[in-house]
Amino acid sequence: MSDLEEEYQLEYFHEEGFERKECPSCGAHFWTRDPDRELCGEPPCADYEFIDNPGFEAEFSLEEMREAFLSFFEEHGHERIDPYPVAANRWRDDVLLTQASIYDFQPLVTSGETPPPANPLTVSQPCIRMQDIDNVGKTGRHTMAFEMMAHHAFNAREDIENPDQYAYEGEVYWKSETVAYCDELLDSLGADIEAVTYIEDPWVGGGNAGPAIEVIYRGLELATLVFMCMEQDPDGEYELKDGNTYSFMDTYIVDTGYGLERWTWMSQGTATVYEAIYPEMISFLKDNAGLEYTDEEAELVHRAARLSGQLDIDDVDDVEAARGDIAAALEVPTDRLRELVEPLETIYAIADHCRTLAYMLGDGIVPSNVSTGYLARMVLRRTKRLADRVGVDAPLDELVDMQAERLEYRNRDTIRDIVRTEVEKYRETLERGGRQVERLADEYADRGEPIPLEEVLELYDSRGIQPDTVEEIAAEHGVNVEIPDDFYARVAARHSDDDDAGETAETAPDEAAVADLPETEKLYYDEPERTDFEAVVLDVIERDDGDGETVYDVVLDQTMFYPEGGGQPADTGSISGEDVTVEVTDVQEADGTVLHRTDGDPGKGEFVRGTVDGTRRRRLMQHHTATHIIGHAAREVLGEHVRQAGAQKGTESSRLDIRHYERISREEVKRIERLANGIVTDNLTVKQEWPDRREAEDEHGFDLYQGGIPPGEKLRLIHVGEDVQACAGTHVLRTGDIGTIKLLSNERIQDGVERLVFAAGDAAIEATQRTEDALYDAAGTLDVSPQEVPGTVERFFEEWKDRGKRIEELKEQLASVRAQGEGGGEEIDLAGTTAVIQRVDADMDELRATANALVEEGNAAVLGSGLDGATFVVAVPDGVEINAGAVVSDLAERVGGGGGGPPDFAQGGGPDADALEDALEAAPDVLRRLSEA
RNA sequence: GGGCUCGUAGAUCAGCGGUAGAUCACUCCCUUGGCAUGGGAGAGGCCCCGGGUUCAAAUCCCGGCGAGUCCA
C-alpha cells in the first residue's frame, strides 16, 4: 500500500523487535511489538478500550499533562518555547487560524530562510479548527479548540553545494529517534507499550509531503509523527495519494502532533473528552441549566456517550443517523435518547466554544466583519444561541472568563469587555432582525401566501437572521415557509454569481534582471539625516514605463535612497555624474538590490553623487516615528489588544489602522494625542539595534511584529521609549525631532478596525492651520469670535428652520387669498365647474398651494409660472371628469418639457418660458377638448 | 479582500419619480372617583451629505460618510 514503504524501515522498529503487519480489516500497514496482534487498532477496526479503563498509570489534568509532556522533552534535549497566537494571519497570509504547531514555522523556517526559535524544540500550541464545528459535543471527541503538543527538529542536508544557504545546517534527529521519543514517553506514563501500534500513513499537504506515522493506543489516535521531506515536483519520482508527484527537499523536518486533550482523556478514561479536560465548567453548566438525571438516565447517557465516541462520524447527517443506531443498541426509542443527550451535547459544545473564544480574544483577535474577527464573531454568536437554547443564563463573558482564567490570560478584563460588547451587538441584530421577520410574516399572512425562499435568503445574507428563526416567527404568525436542505449552498450560490476579472498584475521589478547583481549597501540606517552620498553605477536597466516613455533602473554599489517598504514611500532626489544629472522618481528593492527609477541614464561604471530630497525624507521620518508613538499611545489608552492592522506614511499626513472593538471617542482621541505629544516633549532617543532573532523574540515576544514578520536571522528593532518593533523604516534620532503630533480624524474602515489619521512636524502645524482657517472663515462670515461659532450656528440653524415654516404658512395664506380674490385669472365654464386659468409667477410649492386653495373653493385650477423655466400645476375637485395629468402633459409639451401625475393633481413644465403665455391662452381649448373626450 | 442590505418625526418603520405618511412616545382637551383604557386636537422632518439625470428626485445613477450582514 504505502508508496514510501522503505521509508518506514526504521532502525528503532528493528532494534525493538517490532513486526510490520497489514490490517486485514482496512489494509493499512502498521508496526507492533505484539506478534499476536492482527488489527491495526484504529477505529473502525477496533473499539475504544480506555473508557472507564484509563491507559496511563496516573490521572492527569489538562495542565498537568501539558507540563508532563513539555518537561519530558526538555529533559530529552528540547528547548521549550512559548506558543504562538491562534491568529496565524499575523505572520502568514495564506491562513487565518493556527491549526497545527508546524504553522508556527511556515513558511520562513520550513523553507530554511529563517532559523527556528530553538532546535530541537517542544511546544504546546493552541489551535482552532472550525471545520467540524457542527460535531463538537456530539461525538464525544471533537473539539474546536485544542492544543497540539509537539516536538520539532529542523534538519538540512549537508551533502549539497551550499549548506550555509539555509538558516540551519545538519541533522538534529530524524525518524528513528522521533518514534523512540514517542515510545519512551508512552512508557514513562505507564502505558502498555505492547498495545501501541504505529500505522504507516503518508502525509500530504500544502505542497509538501513525507512519510508519517499514526500512533494508536487502546483505539485512540494519540499522535501523528510527520516527516516532512518532500515537495511537489512535476518531475518527482514519488506519486502520492493526492495524485501529484513529489521529490525530496534539502531540508527535512520532524513535525509531530500530540493532542493534549486526547492524552488527558486517555489518562482519565471518562466517557467523553470534555469531562476530562474541563470538568468544573461542565458541572457548572449542568447546574446552571438545571440538568438533572436519575441514576438510570445517567447510566443510559454514559453508555450512549461511550458508543457515540466509537463511531466513525464525519458530518452532522451521520451523527443523526448514528443516533438511531445507538438508540437501537441501547434499546430505547431514538426520540427519548435525543431528549436525554441533546442538552448535554449542547453543554459540551458551549464549554468548547468558550475555550475557543478565550484563545481567540486572549490572543488579541477583535470581533469584526472580516477575517479572524468574523470567525470569532460567528463562534460567539453560536455559543450565545446554544446557551439560550439549553437554558444557561450565566452571562457569556463570565463563561468565557472561566476558560480564560484556566488558560492564564492576563487581559481578562478586556476579554470580558469584548464579549459583553459583542453580546449586546448580537442582541440588537436579533431584535432588528426579529422585527423585520415579524413584518414580513404579517405581510405574507395577510396575502395568505408562504414566505418565499428568496426573502429568507435575503434575511440571512444581509441581516444575519438564521433560517430557523424565520421558521419560528412564521409559525407564530401562521405563515408557511420552506427551508430547503441546501439552504447554505444556495447562499453560497448567490455569492458566486459574478467572478471578478483578475487583478492587473503589479509591475514588480524584474527579479531575473537583478539576480546577478550584488546587494546594495544601505547607508540610510547609519546616518538617516544625511542626504548626499557618492556611489558607483553598477548597472542601468532600460525599460518602458507603460506610457511609452523610456525610464531607467539604476543600480548603485551603495545608496542613501530609502526604497518603498513597510508603509513608507520611497525617497526621491537626483543622481549626478560628471556631465549628467538625472531625477530619481521612485526607489524599489528586489532581492536586496535597490533600484533607482530615473528619467535618464547616468552611465554604467560612472562615479556619481546622489542627493536625497531632504525635506521629504525628514517629513517621512517624522511621520514614521510618530506612527510608532501613536500605536503605543493607543495601546495605553484603549487596551493591550490594540494591534496594527496596517499603516501608510506620507509627507502631509499618515494613517495607522488599529484593531479595536468600539468606535474611538473624542475623549480617547484627545488622550492619545496628549500621550503621544508627551513622548515627543520627553525627547527620547530613538534606538535601533540588530539583535539575533531568537534573543529579540525571547525578550519582547510576538508583539514585535506589528507590521508582519520579516525574514532573516537578524532583526532590526526600533525602540521608542517603551515601544519596541521590528521595523525597516527610517526614523528621527530623538522624539523631539518630530516637533508635534496632531490627530486629524478617525474612521472605522471595518468593524473592529479603526483608522487614525495624523500629521507630524511641519505637516501637523499646516493641518492645524487649515482647520483654524476654516473656523476663522466661518467666524468671519458670522461676524463673531471663533468660540461663539457653534452657538451662533446653532441659533442660525434654528432660525432658518423657523423661517422655512413661516414661509410655508405665508404661502398657504397667500394661496387662499389668491383663490378667493378672483382677480387676474381667466375663468371658464366647464361642464358645470369653473376652471380658473391663471399665471402666478411663483415656485412649485406656491403653485401647489394655490391650486389646492382653488380646489377647496370647488374650482378646477390651471396655473402656470414663468419663474424658473415654465411650470404648471393642474388640480381638479372630486367628481370633475378632467384628467389633470393629461392637461399638464399637453401644456408642458408646448414649453418643450413634460409632466404628469395622478388624475386630480398634476405637475409639469419645460424650459421654454417664452411659450408660457401661448400655452396658457391655449389652455381653455385644451380643457374643453380633454373634458369632452 | 470581495459581495449584499439599510440611513425618512424622539423610537420603529411605510412610501421608491408627481402635494412627505403610519404606529408608539410627546403636549393639550374630553371620557373615568382613580388607574388601565377610550375619543379628539396639536407639535415634531436639511427624507445622512455632495454631485448627476429629469419639466419634476426622499424615490433613479455616481461619489462620500455612517450602520448592519454574508463569504474567503
Side-chain angles (χ1 to χ4, degrees):
Chain A
M1 279 294 282
S2 169
D3 299 308
L4 298 165
E5 196 178 315
E6 68 279 16
E7 292 289 320
Y8 293 99
Q9 298 292 333
L10 307 187
E11 231 170 85
Y12 183 74
F13 285 149
H14 294 299
E15 282 168 4
E16 290 286 310
F18 279 80
E19 284 182 40
R20 183 171 191 261
K21 299 193 176 216
E22 181 172 349
C23 179
S25 168
C26 66
H29 289 91
F30 63 96
W31 294 78
T32 174
R33 283 188 169 90
D34 179 0
D36 300 326
R37 172 176 276 281
E38 285 194 1
L39 295 166
C40 67
E42 184 181 25
C45 304
D47 290 340
Y48 280 178
E49 291 158 19
F50 65 98
I51 309 271
D52 299 327
N53 176 27
F56 300 148
E57 244 163 42
E59 282 193 5
F60 289 81
S61 71
L62 202 66
E63 292 78 12
E64 289 165 350
M65 182 55 78
R66 184 195 292 130
E67 184 53 38
F69 179 91
L70 294 173
S71 51
F72 174 88
F73 279 97
E74 269 182 329
E75 283 157 19
H76 290 78
H78 292 69
E79 189 174 324
R80 182 196 298 221
I81 65 159
D82 285 336
Y84 280 46
V86 290
N89 62 343
R90 281 175 62 188
W91 67 90
R92 50 194 293 190
D93 50 18
D94 55 338
V95 290
L96 294 178
L97 295 171
T98 308
Q99 299 204 2
S101 59
I102 194 70
Y103 276 40
D104 300 355
F105 313 112
Q106 289 169 321
L108 292 175
V109 179
T110 50
S111 69
E113 274 179 81
T114 296
N119 199 8
L121 60 82
T122 183
V123 65
S124 186
Q125 175 60 44
C127 297
I128 293 172
R129 288 192 186 171
M130 297 194 62
Q131 290 87 329
D132 35 33
I133 184 167
D134 292 323
N135 285 340
V136 173
K138 294 185 172 169
T139 59
R141 66 169 186 271
H142 279 103
T143 59
M144 183 157 50
F146 62 95
E147 285 186 34
M148 181 179 284
M149 303 187 294
H151 51 113
H152 293 284
F154 301 87
N155 308 301
R157 282 168 54 187
E158 284 178 305
D159 56 348
I160 50 177
E161 219 170 288
N162 299 312
D164 57 357
Q165 67 179 291
Y166 297 109
Y168 41 90
E169 287 173 48
E171 180 170 304
V172 182
Y173 63 78
W174 190 228
K175 293 179 284 191
S176 207
E177 295 88 332
T178 303
V179 176
Y181 282 133
C182 180
D183 218 41
E184 193 182 334
L185 174 65
L186 282 163
D187 193 31
S188 74
L189 292 171
D192 171 14
I193 56 169
E194 285 277 312
V196 175
T197 52
Y198 294 91
I199 302 178
E200 297 177 6
D201 181 31
W203 167 85
V204 176
N208 291 109
I213 292 171
E214 286 180 2
V215 184
I216 312 291
Y217 178 48
R218 295 204 173 165
L220 188 65
E221 182 186 341
L222 281 179
T224 305
L225 313 174
V226 176
F227 304 102
M228 185 196 286
C229 58
M230 307 172 96
E231 62 190 345
Q232 209 171 316
D233 175 0
D235 305 324
E237 56 180 302
Y238 297 90
E239 185 178 334
L240 299 185
K241 59 187 173 187
D242 67 343
N244 292 313
T245 52
Y246 288 81
S247 59
F248 286 96
M249 306 186 286
D250 291 343
T251 57
Y252 53 109
I253 294 158
V254 173
D255 169 24
T256 63
Y258 297 66
L260 168 61
E261 292 70 20
R262 294 196 170 187
W263 285 67
T264 307
W265 189 18
M266 174 63 72
S267 82
Q268 296 187 25
T270 49
T272 67
V273 69
Y274 318 108
E275 283 149 329
I277 58 180
Y278 22 67
E280 332 72 20
M281 179 129 187
I282 300 293
S283 63
F284 173 87
L285 289 169
K286 274 189 188 165
D287 271 2
N288 191 277
L291 234 62
E292 279 174 22
Y293 293 108
T294 63
D295 288 351
E296 178 224 354
E297 283 171 343
E299 169 63 17
L300 194 63
V301 168
H302 186 80
R303 281 164 57 208
R306 202 176 157 166
L307 284 174
S308 64
Q310 296 171 22
L311 292 162
D312 186 30
I313 301 172
D314 276 330
D315 61 58
V316 192
D317 293 344
D318 293 346
V319 172
E320 284 308 310
R323 208 190 292 286
D325 298 345
I326 295 168
L330 297 174
E331 295 174 344
V332 293
T334 310
D335 287 347
R336 161 104 174 117
L337 182 68
R338 180 179 296 118
E339 198 182 303
L340 270 179
V341 166
E342 240 175 21
L344 201 56
E345 292 175 345
T346 306
I347 275 171
Y348 293 150
I350 293 170
D352 166 75
H353 292 5
C354 286
R355 182 160 170 238
T356 307
L357 286 169
Y359 279 130
M360 287 178 134
L361 305 178
D363 279 349
I365 294 178
V366 175
S368 156
N369 59 337
V370 292
S371 183
T372 50
Y374 178 67
L375 300 180
R377 173 167 287 170
M378 288 300 97
V379 174
L380 188 141
R381 293 186 172 190
R382 185 187 172 89
T383 313
K384 177 71 181 144
R385 282 199 298 277
L386 292 174
D388 288 347
R389 190 198 300 165
V390 77
V392 169
D393 63 0
L396 195 55
D397 59 291
E398 218 163 273
L399 300 182
V400 175
D401 188 55
M402 287 171 78
Q403 295 284 19
E405 186 181 7
R406 276 199 74 155
L407 298 171
E408 295 175 0
Y409 278 109
R410 286 180 301 122
N411 50 350
R412 283 166 54 200
D413 287 343
T414 305
I415 297 176
R416 294 188 68 149
D417 210 22
I418 292 175
V419 173
R420 274 193 296 267
T421 308
E422 267 304 295
V423 169
E424 177 56 22
K425 276 191 186 179
Y426 187 42
R427 197 190 59 71
E428 281 170 20
T429 294
L430 285 184
E431 205 177 284
R432 259 195 305 272
R435 282 195 300 260
Q436 173 79 7
V437 180
E438 298 263 352
R439 272 196 298 279
L440 212 68
D442 274 342
E443 189 189 325
Y444 284 96
D446 287 349
R447 286 200 250 155
E449 290 171 18
I451 299 177
L453 178 62
E454 195 48 39
E455 297 270 19
V456 187
L457 285 168
E458 179 64 31
L459 281 170
Y460 177 72
D461 210 14
S462 66
R463 289 176 186 263
I465 302 164
Q466 307 289 328
D468 49 347
T469 307
V470 179
E471 263 180 329
E472 217 171 275
I473 295 173
E476 284 167 18
H477 288 70
V479 190
N480 275 331
V481 56
E482 283 288 317
I483 311 293
D485 289 341
D486 62 346
F487 182 83
Y488 293 97
R490 285 176 191 244
V491 175
R494 284 181 135 224
H495 292 277
S496 55
D497 275 355
D498 46 348
D499 43 327
D500 45 339
E503 277 293 295
T504 46
E506 286 279 305
T507 48
D510 194 347
E511 302 253 344
V514 299
D516 299 335
L517 293 163
E519 290 195 7
T520 312
E521 192 184 339
K522 293 159 185 165
L523 305 171
Y524 43 82
Y525 287 140
D526 292 335
E527 292 176 281
E529 296 191 321
R530 229 182 91 184
T531 54
D532 53 348
F533 64 101
E534 286 169 354
V536 178
V537 178
L538 297 183
D539 202 357
V540 177
I541 304 159
E542 191 178 322
R543 18 177 131 250
D544 189 283
D545 72 347
D547 296 331
E549 300 283 320
T550 304
V551 292
Y552 303 86
D553 280 336
V554 179
V555 180
L556 306 173
D557 63 334
Q558 56 178 6
T559 188
M560 203 57 102
F561 283 94
Y562 181 81
E564 184 179 357
Q568 181 176 334
D571 284 332
T572 57
S574 60
I575 295 174
S576 305
E578 199 131 301
D579 28 48
V580 62
T581 295
V582 299
E583 291 293 315
V584 177
T585 55
D586 189 21
V587 187
Q588 297 288 332
E589 183 177 353
D591 264 351
T593 306
V594 177
L595 301 171
H596 305 75
R597 174 66 53 95
T598 64
D599 59 354
D601 182 352
K604 188 171 173 176
E606 289 292 313
F607 274 97
V608 292
R609 166 172 290 271
T611 310
V612 172
D613 178 342
T615 308
R616 177 183 162 87
R617 158 65 78 72
R618 184 178 166 72
R619 283 183 165 230
L620 289 172
M621 292 197 302
Q622 285 174 324
H623 277 106
H624 202 143
T625 309
T627 306
H628 287 221
I629 291 174
I630 286 190
H632 177 72
R635 196 158 18 253
E636 291 282 310
V637 172
L638 303 174
E640 275 294 310
H641 61 283
V642 166
R643 206 151 270 122
Q644 180 174 321
Q648 181 63 48
K649 290 85 186 175
T651 53
E652 299 303 321
S653 71
S654 296
R655 52 186 158 84
L656 174 68
D657 300 339
I658 56 169
R659 302 199 183 281
H660 186 52
Y661 52 93
E662 283 175 323
R663 292 310 308 264
I664 298 173
S665 69
R666 176 69 192 143
E667 196 43 53
E668 287 164 336
V669 167
K670 286 186 190 170
R671 278 164 58 203
I672 292 169
E673 201 171 73
R674 270 198 297 273
L675 220 72
N677 280 292
I679 295 170
V680 172
T681 42
D682 286 348
N683 199 19
L684 307 169
T685 306
V686 178
K687 282 177 288 190
Q688 63 161 320
E689 54 167 340
W690 292 87
D692 199 61
R693 173 183 295 268
R694 282 176 54 180
E695 286 167 22
E697 284 182 0
D698 276 353
E699 193 175 342
H700 304 291
F702 208 82
D703 286 334
L704 279 179
Y705 305 120
Q706 295 284 321
I709 299 192
E713 301 182 30
K714 297 254 181 212
L715 284 181
R716 177 165 183 262
L717 293 193
I718 295 296
H719 298 253
V720 185
E722 296 162 29
D723 184 70
V724 188
Q725 288 186 39
C727 177
T730 55
H731 287 268
V732 296
L733 298 175
R734 301 186 68 90
T735 56
D737 298 342
I738 295 169
T740 184
I741 297 174
K742 183 84 195 109
L743 287 180
L744 303 177
S745 66
N746 72 300
E747 54 186 312
R748 192 198 75 146
I749 56 167
Q750 288 162 5
D751 203 10
V753 181
E754 291 286 321
R755 170 166 295 171
L756 296 169
V757 183
F758 60 92
D762 290 349
I765 301 294
E766 286 162 14
T768 307
Q769 287 171 344
R770 275 196 300 275
T771 312
E772 283 177 345
D773 285 349
L775 179 61
Y776 291 147
D777 277 359
T781 306
L782 297 171
D783 204 14
V784 297
S785 72
Q787 282 69 27
E788 287 172 301
V789 165
T792 308
V793 166
E794 198 181 334
R795 186 163 59 78
F796 278 19
F797 188 56
E798 288 303 322
E799 278 180 21
W800 174 78
K801 286 196 285 190
D802 286 345
R803 276 176 207 204
K805 281 178 224 165
R806 185 74 186 135
I807 289 168
E808 279 299 307
E809 281 168 26
L810 292 173
K811 276 182 184 172
E812 272 170 40
Q813 283 177 27
L814 180 61
S816 67
V817 169
R818 200 180 271 141
Q820 279 158 12
E822 296 175 13
E826 181 186 352
E827 293 183 11
I828 61 164
D829 256 350
L830 208 63
T833 315
T834 305
V836 179
I837 299 161
Q838 192 174 355
R839 174 165 177 157
V840 180
D841 281 336
D843 63 24
M844 193 52 108
D845 277 347
E846 218 172 311
L847 283 194
R848 279 197 293 251
T850 308
N852 279 331
L854 284 165
V855 167
E856 292 275 306
E857 301 287 314
N859 301 320
V862 176
L863 305 176
S865 162
L867 200 64
D868 180 21
T871 49
F872 298 102
V873 171
V874 175
V876 295
D878 277 351
V880 177
E881 294 296 314
I882 299 175
N883 187 331
V887 176
V888 159
S889 183
D890 191 304
L891 294 175
E893 254 174 56
R894 294 164 192 266
V895 293
D904 62 331
F905 196 98
Q907 302 146 68
D912 188 1
D914 295 338
L916 177 63
E917 281 302 329
D918 291 344
L920 285 174
E921 271 169 36
D925 290 341
V926 172
L927 282 172
R928 286 196 195 94
R929 183 153 45 80
L930 287 170
S931 67
E932 280 160 17

